[in-house]
Amino acid sequence: MSPRPAGTRPTLSLVAETAGTSVPTVSKVLRGGTDVSAETRARVMAAVRAVGYTRRGGPKIDSVPDETGLSNVLDLVVTHYEGSWANLVTAGVGREAAAAGLDVVLTLADPDSDWVSRVLRRRGLGTIGALIDPTSPQFNALSAAGVPVVLIDPMATPPAGAVSVSVANWDGGRTAAEYLLALGHKRMGVVAGHARHLFSRARVDGFRAAAYTAPGGGATVSVTYGGWNAAKAEAATHTLLDREPGVTAIFACSDEMALSVYEALNARGLRIPDDVSVIGFDDLPEAQVMSPRLTTVKQPSTELGATAVKLLIELSRGEDGGVRPPARMELATELVVRASTGPVPATAVPGP
């Protein structure tokens, strides 16, 4: 294969040559065609990544839809349907899309299914991905096909040029720690999500930063991982308490895991907040019916979905629209104080 001249864009011909196939086959793969073998599809996508090919254009928000009307459709791709957070984000997407005259197709990013081909065949306005790994081959396929994509709280750092919207996860973790420190807590624990998830790391890092730099010598922080899963979070809480029995406050990186923290503390006969204070992250509807009601860091979940639609519409206008949206937007979080947090117990072992 002859080298590509410096400064020139990769072409379909170059992709075809690299993959050892034809230009029509490459085009078919990037349109989500079904009459291509899995082996050929994988070879084409590997070539796409190798040469850095990205198709220009795509459906525009101001364009006239074809006979199917699909240019007025956007895809919302999610890793799971269950849970209040997913419902709130979906509601934000749906309401903002309806206001813009768009319909939403909800797609499950099941690793065992070829969901990308379905998205490509729909030829919609673009794709919103919630909790999607932006380094995955699926994301690369959408980018190569020229599909506008907006990521909500991506699992890893997005590649250059990607557009994402998140909440202020680091600042939320910092706020949680500062509040607990103000109540006198010096021995604190964290039940985090996944160590590899960007938003989980940010929440833990913000919490640690505030704890370690607090006036008067700082505080200790012990971290365990609950994997965003109820059973794992409960086990992680027991592990935390076995390792650090002097902990007087626990920060759960999601409200759902906070409920598991409650279960573990109750199983040990520990009272909330008399013995251990608990603070969550999300402010889901469940936070207000837990007993005691959960202090938590509120993230604007519905606004996340609505903002993603606005960014996708800007992206879909392309060069005709003038201004490209920022690569990254961050929405503010805020602390909501309820009954699950209180002053450090008088019997607590002094901190460092």
Side-chain angles (χ1 to χ4, degrees):
M1 183 181 73
S2 58
R4 176 166 58 93
T8 62
R9 285 178 56 84
T11 63
L12 282 178
S13 297
L14 181 59
V15 174
E17 183 181 352
T18 304
T21 187
S22 66
V23 169
T25 297
V26 171
S27 181
K28 189 178 296 183
V29 169
L30 296 181
R31 293 197 311 271
T34 57
D35 53 340
V36 179
S37 70
E39 179 185 356
T40 299
R41 187 183 304 279
R43 200 164 67 244
V44 167
M45 292 316 304
V48 163
R49 292 192 294 273
V51 304
Y53 174 81
T54 301
R55 190 170 69 184
R56 289 184 181 274
K60 300 290 191 291
I61 186 66
D62 296 322
S63 68
V64 177
D66 61 14
E67 64 277 7
T68 66
L70 289 180
S71 60
N72 283 341
V73 169
L74 67 83
D75 283 275
L76 173 59
V77 179
V78 297
T79 54
H80 62 276
Y81 298 140
E82 301 82 8
S84 295
W85 185 87
N87 292 336
L88 291 170
V89 170
T90 301
V93 170
R95 290 169 188 169
E96 191 65 31
L102 299 170
D103 294 320
V104 179
V105 176
L106 190 60
T107 300
L108 181 65
D110 187 338
D112 297 326
S113 68
D114 188 12
W115 60 267
V116 172
S117 292
R118 299 201 305 275
V119 170
L120 294 177
R121 288 196 299 273
R122 278 194 283 271
R123 293 168 289 126
L125 183 74
T127 299
I128 294 172
L131 303 180
I132 297 293
D133 183 358
T135 64
S136 66
Q138 292 88 350
F139 179 80
N140 290 334
L142 294 176
S143 298
V147 176
V149 178
V150 174
L151 296 166
I152 297 176
D153 253 340
M155 292 181 173
T157 303
V163 174
S164 67
V165 55
S166 303
V167 299
N169 290 296
W170 190 94
D171 195 56
R174 176 192 60 80
T175 301
E178 287 181 347
Y179 178 67
L180 294 173
L181 289 165
L183 292 173
H185 296 279
K186 291 291 187 179
R187 294 182 179 274
M188 300 186 289
V190 177
V191 177
H194 282 296
R196 62 184 179 86
H197 288 170
L198 187 65
F199 42 90
S200 180
R201 294 202 309 269
R203 293 172 195 180
V204 174
D205 289 348
F207 192 90
R208 277 176 164 155
Y212 293 162
T213 59
T220 62
V221 177
S222 181
V223 179
T224 55
Y225 292 90
W228 315 113
N229 174 276
K232 290 180 180 179
E234 186 170 354
T237 305
H238 284 297
T239 298
L240 170 66
L241 295 171
D242 288 341
R243 189 169 65 204
E244 298 290 344
V247 161
T248 62
I250 297 175
F251 171 43
C253 285
S254 77
D255 287 354
E256 290 187 7
M257 291 196 300
L259 182 56
S260 295
V261 173
Y262 274 39
E263 296 290 339
L265 292 173
N266 288 335
R268 288 172 174 250
L270 295 171
R271 299 164 300 168
I272 306 168
D274 297 339
D275 299 315
V276 180
S277 288
V278 180
I279 187 167
F281 196 107
D282 286 326
D283 196 28
L284 300 179
E286 293 89 328
Q288 298 193 52
V289 297
M290 293 167 63
S291 182
R293 294 193 309 150
L294 180 66
T295 295
T296 189
V297 177
K298 179 183 179 65
Q299 64 164 315
S301 304
T302 302
E303 189 180 346
L304 272 174
T307 301
V309 174
K310 294 174 183 177
L311 292 173
L312 186 65
I313 290 173
E314 289 183 40
L315 270 180
S316 72
R317 292 195 172 111
E319 298 175 357
D320 300 333
V323 180
R324 178 182 171 85
R328 182 172 180 271
M329 285 190 65
E330 192 172 87
L331 306 184
T333 56
E334 64 175 304
L335 182 68
V336 180
V337 177
R338 297 193 180 100
S340 67
T341 47
V344 64
T347 56
V349 178

